[in-house]
Amino acid sequence: MLFKVEMQVNIPSSLPKAQADDIKAKEKAYSQQLQRDGKWPHIWRVVGQYANVSIFDVADNQELHTILTALPLYPYMEITVQPLCEHPSSIHNQQ
């Protein structure tokens, strides 16, 4: 199943820099592994924001929930999720 996921990161300014840097490093490693595994095939930065728009390709809602809640930055995120389906006018291969 494909999902469009929008993530807005809001790290509090009171979080010590070293702790924030550690969380960001863990986030990067985890997200890049998910990309290599094919679970997170697309990620785009939103210009001017600490935010991204991503496409996830997972088995079901539960798998997406498990992935998102395991993100090291999850406690500092506002997340919106939209399930996606193929468009009948698409020229790309049908799944």
Side-chain angles (χ1 to χ4, degrees):
M1 294 181 70
L2 296 176
F3 293 89
K4 179 182 97 170
V5 179
E6 297 181 34
M7 297 178 229
Q8 176 73 46
V9 182
N10 301 300
I11 298 175
S13 59
S14 60
L15 192 69
K17 182 181 180 332
Q19 187 177 354
D21 289 346
D22 182 59
I23 293 169
K24 290 176 195 177
K26 289 176 181 172
E27 179 87 9
K28 183 175 183 177
Y30 179 59
S31 69
Q32 288 181 343
Q33 185 58 54
L34 289 167
Q35 291 172 64
R36 284 188 287 276
D37 293 343
K39 301 290 183 181
W40 196 336
H42 301 283
I43 182 171
W44 297 276
R45 171 74 67 208
V46 177
V47 176
Q49 299 179 34
Y50 194 174
N52 72 72
V53 175
S54 296
I55 302 297
F56 284 82
D57 188 356
V58 295
D60 53 29
N61 296 340
Q62 185 60 53
E63 183 180 18
L64 180 63
H65 179 78
T66 300
I67 287 170
L68 294 177
T69 57
L71 289 167
L73 284 170
Y74 178 78
Y76 310 106
M77 290 182 171
E78 293 177 29
I79 299 174
T80 59
V81 176
Q82 293 179 312
L84 302 173
C85 62
E86 293 179 356
H87 194 285
S89 297
S90 175
I91 63 168
H92 300 287
N93 294 334
Q94 302 295 312
Q95 291 186 13

